[in-house]
Amino acid sequence: MGSERWYENAVIYAIDVKAFQDSNGDGIGDFRGLTDRLDYLDALGVDCLWLLPFYPTPGRDNGYDVRDYYGVDPRLGTLGDFADFVRAAEERGIRVVVDLVVNHTSKEHPWFRAAREDPDSPYRDYYVWSEEVPDPDPSKGSVFPGEAGGDRVWTYDEVADAYYFHRFYDFQPDLDLTNPAVREEIRKIMGFWLQLGVSGFRIDAATLMIQGKRPGVAVPDDPHQILRDLRAHAVSYREDAVLIAEADDEPSELAEYFGDGDEMDLLLNFVLDAYLTLALAEERAAPIEECLDLLPEVPPGGQWANFLRNYDELNVGRLDEADRRTVFERFAPDEDMRIYGRGIRRRLAPILEGDRDRIELAFSLLFSMPGTPLFVYGDEIGMGEDLSLPGREAVRTPMQWSDAPNGGFSTAAPSSLIRPVVDEGEFGYERVNVADQWDDPESLLGFVRRLIGTRKTCPEVGTADPIVLETGAESVFAHRYDADGETVVLVHNLGSEPRSVRIELGEERSPVGLLGDAAVEDRGGTWTVDLPRYDYRWLRAARRSG
Ligand code: NOJ
Ligand code: CA
């Protein structure tokens, strides 16, 4: 299917299978339900699905605690259902990327069981052990401060009579990725899913995979070799396979994850997420410009995967204290909306107070950023969160398909749903659902479909470098991309006041509207764009003929 660089202009849509569509009325979304919804995804225009972990699991971290890497959680279906699904997706030109969670396993994984029971087991060295809590601790601490089992990184195991290392919860022992046997296991896991037809992997916790875990041994000699190996495995099975890394690292460290085009293909752009959020909160363009300066250059073949929201907290931990405070005050005014001191446990639409103009602006900005856009199920219709659910669960409620009971997600009794459907308030399923918006071009869903269609006609955004344009207006971010003699110009007003801005093209070019309806006046290569509050305009700069 298609070229090796297919991902540069893909639109990625993230799905938690168990919360998407239940096909058999047991209250749990499943692969058959997802397969039935492929026509929707096809019509929406997305062409790459990222599936959150769907493997057998005790389910204590939304499936990121894997018990068996070679199976499907029986509640979600069988391997046969999975194969049917991949095939049906492929028939529609939709690719599937799955989560590869090999920084750690579940405590219930047979490897860990064997490891703790027998010091001589070959599986013992799959994990990281210590007789006592090492001092100084080689890690930077836990990823989930303040949560049960997440507030320390060494936990004593009575059976093993030793401490094991875990950067996440205590039920997720870290694998020792310096152990060649572990690396060989990972190769086989990747091969298995690639043979079943997936187009690649989202590499969970890539940053932590390459950090030192063993007391006394700070880091492996060449930690990035771990990631280069993953890529070598993937392309040996399938040339067009991609790896999307969850590399939430310092901006100065990010370039290394791309290697020389021999490591990660895409990096989830956590830095941009934080700065876009700040720009939206401050209603100023400057943070976006600052961020583009901060991000390293991407080698040929490397790409950013840009997003505003995912299934975790919206992490603004990379912003400085004052900026973080601004974001929290504007987008998470109640303490209960915040988490880990660095994040917001809300969805996009409620963060933007359900304001259609602002939601469209945010989507348009996201899709205009250099890279491949990614969004999570439900954001295309403006779903909200459920703050009564614990922690990050708040943003993981079931998809809202219609105003039928349970939002059309399942025919089960509400009490047996995997998670409650949002059923009240402004974002409840009776008011926010696919069925209502489907045939309505004026709906948010209608807009998102147009936006996806427009992005597909602007491959420059996925391949060229952006050039920021002077506008003289603090709230307006304007940029252009040039490639193969073609130019697209994108103008966004992040502010609540209308703005008229002048843009110099540097040569005579006529504006051809692609998206948005703000008025544009052309005077010999100088364009004046009149932007209402929170508005956007996508334009192609056409050469004058004759
Ligand atoms: C990152 C995932 O996005 C998050 O949901 C999970 O808790 C951790 N990795 C641990 O696997
Ligand atoms: Ca089901």
Side-chain angles (χ1 to χ4, degrees):
M1 260 205 299
S3 85
E4 280 170 48
R5 299 254 185 106
W6 59 270
Y7 53 89
E8 288 184 334
N9 279 300
V11 175
I12 306 176
Y13 184 86
I15 294 180
D16 190 349
V17 179
K18 62 187 170 305
F20 199 61
Q21 177 69 66
D22 174 19
S23 73
N24 60 353
D26 65 354
I28 304 171
D30 45 53
F31 275 101
R32 283 188 27 219
L34 171 57
T35 307
D36 290 343
R37 291 298 186 181
L38 278 169
D39 286 334
Y40 166 76
L41 297 170
D42 191 18
L44 177 59
V46 297
D47 42 21
C48 179
L49 308 179
W50 154 29
L51 302 189
L52 269 70
F54 51 80
Y55 315 105
T57 173
R60 297 176 67 187
D61 181 17
N62 203 31
Y64 283 95
D65 44 338
V66 179
R67 179 162 47 205
D68 174 7
Y69 290 105
Y70 295 106
V72 169
D73 180 337
R75 301 172 306 163
L76 275 53
T78 63
L79 271 177
D81 294 330
F82 179 85
D84 271 354
F85 154 70
V86 174
R87 163 88 178 184
E90 206 171 88
E91 277 166 8
R92 291 164 177 82
I94 297 178
R95 293 172 181 268
V96 178
V97 164
V98 299
D99 234 293
L100 184 69
V101 190
V102 289
N103 173 69
H104 49 268
T105 67
S106 159
K107 253 187 107 168
E108 293 184 25
H109 194 287
W111 297 340
F112 190 74
R113 287 172 180 239
R116 62 199 293 228
E117 272 154 27
D118 177 5
D120 297 323
S121 154
Y123 295 111
R124 185 74 157 202
D125 291 339
Y126 274 34
Y127 297 90
V128 184
W129 300 96
S130 180
E131 297 298 311
E132 51 204 35
V133 175
D135 183 30
D137 196 322
S139 79
K140 286 196 223 137
S142 158
V143 176
F144 302 126
E147 285 205 13
D151 54 359
R152 58 177 182 272
V153 295
W154 291 95
T155 292
Y156 180 70
D157 182 66
E158 277 178 14
V159 183
D161 186 23
Y163 292 85
Y164 62 91
F165 181 71
H166 56 90
R167 274 309 287 283
F168 295 99
Y169 297 103
D170 60 1
F171 52 80
Q172 289 165 318
D174 272 38
L175 286 164
D176 181 358
L177 294 153
T178 63
N179 180 342
V182 171
R183 308 261 282 270
E184 183 56 17
E185 297 278 7
I186 295 172
R187 183 191 63 72
K188 283 191 280 187
I189 295 163
M190 294 176 81
F192 177 80
W193 294 103
L194 287 163
Q195 290 294 88
L196 274 179
V198 308
S199 287
F201 302 92
R202 178 233 183 223
I203 310 294
D204 186 62
T207 307
L208 303 182
M209 284 172 74
I210 60 173
Q211 276 181 13
K213 301 183 178 194
R214 243 177 217 304
V217 184
V219 276
D221 288 347
D222 177 10
H224 280 269
Q225 188 59 40
I226 294 173
L227 300 179
R228 281 193 291 272
D229 281 357
L230 298 188
R231 186 178 150 78
H233 299 330
V235 294
S236 76
Y237 284 92
R238 186 171 168 156
E239 234 178 300
D240 61 350
V242 296
L243 303 183
I244 307 175
E246 187 199 17
D248 194 356
D249 211 333
E250 298 293 328
S252 58
E253 297 294 319
L254 293 175
E256 266 213 78
Y257 288 84
F258 290 118
D260 293 322
D262 57 355
E263 208 169 310
M264 297 292 113
D265 302 283
L266 299 109
L267 301 191
L268 288 166
N269 201 343
F270 288 92
V271 182
L272 182 69
D273 185 25
Y275 281 82
L276 276 182
T277 304
L278 177 64
L280 292 167
E282 291 187 331
E283 309 202 344
R284 285 190 328 126
I288 306 174
E289 218 175 314
E290 201 184 317
C291 179
L292 294 178
D293 285 342
L294 210 60
L295 291 172
E297 262 197 57
V298 174
Q303 180 74 322
W304 298 111
N306 298 324
F307 59 95
L308 282 166
R309 287 299 292 113
N310 57 24
Y311 294 112
D312 294 322
E313 75 281 10
L314 195 178
N315 186 351
V316 289
R318 295 218 175 273
L319 301 178
D320 69 31
E321 175 81 47
D323 291 342
R324 210 177 315 154
R325 207 173 319 122
T326 306
V327 170
F328 277 148
E329 277 165 14
R330 185 91 209 262
F331 291 155
D334 300 342
E335 192 53 43
D336 190 35
M337 298 169 172
R338 307 175 189 177
I339 189 166
Y340 312 136
R342 61 167 186 250
I344 298 177
R345 52 184 208 112
R346 306 186 75 191
R347 272 193 182 252
L348 183 65
I351 282 178
L352 299 173
E353 294 167 332
D355 181 329
R356 254 302 283 287
D357 294 341
R358 287 166 74 193
I359 299 168
E360 284 195 22
L361 167 78
F363 257 106
S364 173
L365 250 186
L366 172 67
F367 273 62
S368 80
M369 289 293 119
T372 297
L374 179 157
F375 62 99
V376 300
Y377 80 81
D379 276 358
E380 75 274 29
I381 52 171
M383 272 172 56
E385 67 274 343
D386 181 348
L387 290 170
S388 73
L389 299 178
R392 295 168 289 159
E393 300 280 286
V395 297
R396 298 170 178 171
T397 58
M399 181 65 171
Q400 296 170 195
W401 293 104
S402 69
D403 62 5
N406 300 326
F409 160 67
S410 171
T411 54
S415 58
S416 19
L417 299 186
I418 177 102
R419 276 177 213 125
V421 175
V422 176
D423 61 1
E424 43 186 45
E426 208 187 323
F427 302 99
Y429 69 81
E430 284 172 5
R431 295 170 78 166
V432 174
N433 65 63
V434 171
D436 272 359
Q437 298 187 28
W438 186 245
D439 288 328
D440 179 5
E442 298 304 316
S443 66
L444 179 61
L445 181 56
F447 162 74
V448 173
R449 288 174 73 180
R450 276 197 303 285
L451 177 65
I452 293 172
T454 304
R455 175 65 182 72
K456 295 281 171 192
T457 69
C458 301
E460 298 89 341
V461 184
T463 53
D465 288 332
I467 299 170
V468 178
L469 301 169
E470 199 50 57
T471 68
E474 233 201 349
S475 69
V476 179
F477 183 71
H479 62 305
R480 66 187 273 178
Y481 295 93
D482 304 279
D484 302 326
E486 293 279 341
T487 298
V488 285
V489 176
L490 307 123
V491 195
H492 291 87
N493 178 10
L494 288 85
S496 57
E497 297 297 324
R499 285 281 175 268
S500 180
V501 293
R502 244 182 43 199
I503 288 168
E504 299 292 345
L505 270 286
E507 61 181 311
E508 293 220 352
R509 297 274 196 115
S510 315
V512 177
L514 299 172
L515 189 73
D517 46 22
V520 188
E521 199 193 324
D522 170 26
R523 286 223 181 99
T526 302
W527 298 353
T528 304
V529 188
D530 282 324
L531 290 158
R533 79 193 272 274
Y534 307 120
D535 206 18
Y536 52 86
R537 191 75 162 110
W538 291 46
L539 300 155
R540 188 165 284 285
R543 276 180 214 291
R544 303 255 161 90
S545 47

